[in-house]
Amino acid sequence: AVTCERYMAVTKPRTRLTSSQKTRAIMYILPCVLIATILNIGKFFEAETVSYCMDFTSCGCGYHEVTYVRPTQLRLSRNYIIFYTTWTWVTMTSIGPFFILSLLNFIIWRKLQQATKTMAELNKSVHHPKTELQAA
């Protein structure tokens, strides 16, 4: 979010100045919440609750319902473990953010280089204006 804010400040300063802080906050937080939700949807299908009755009539206690949580077949699947728990997490929590951070910082660096070059050219033309004799 910090890099995105810097990117917007450097590449689109007017947009950044005209939008409210609330709008900018939503613009940065909402994608993070959506990505986190999508990334964690699989977690809801990894476990299931199972209930069964235990017979304690021999000791005079009667029947008791016992509930426990166990992993589903999805969670035990080798392909799910390789794809979801390994590659998806590595991509979305390491490689993806690093790539986006690098890309946005590169674009910021390029814009700053262009701005520096433009300012140097403007300063050169302001401090050393050509006279009519030099131009001829």
Side-chain angles (χ1 to χ4, degrees), residues 24-97:
R24 287 196 321 260
I26 290 170
M27 188 171 71
Y28 300 131
I29 292 172
L30 189 61
C32 293
V33 170
L34 289 174
I35 290 170
T37 302
I38 291 168
L39 193 59
N40 286 299
I41 283 177
K43 298 285 185 196
F44 293 105
F45 302 105
E46 288 184 0
E48 62 185 355
T49 57
V50 178
S51 298
Y52 65 94
C53 285
M54 292 189 69
D55 183 10
F56 292 108
T57 54
S58 62
C59 67
C61 300
Y63 293 98
H64 291 287
E65 185 177 359
V66 177
T67 304
Y68 67 97
V69 177
R70 72 176 180 199
T72 61
Q73 289 299 318
L74 174 69
R75 181 63 176 104
L76 299 174
S77 167
R78 184 172 186 272
N79 291 332
Y80 177 78
I81 293 169
I82 290 170
F83 175 73
Y84 180 73
T85 60
T86 304
W87 289 110
T88 302
W89 280 96
V90 167
T91 303
M92 297 301 289
T93 62
S94 300
I95 297 170

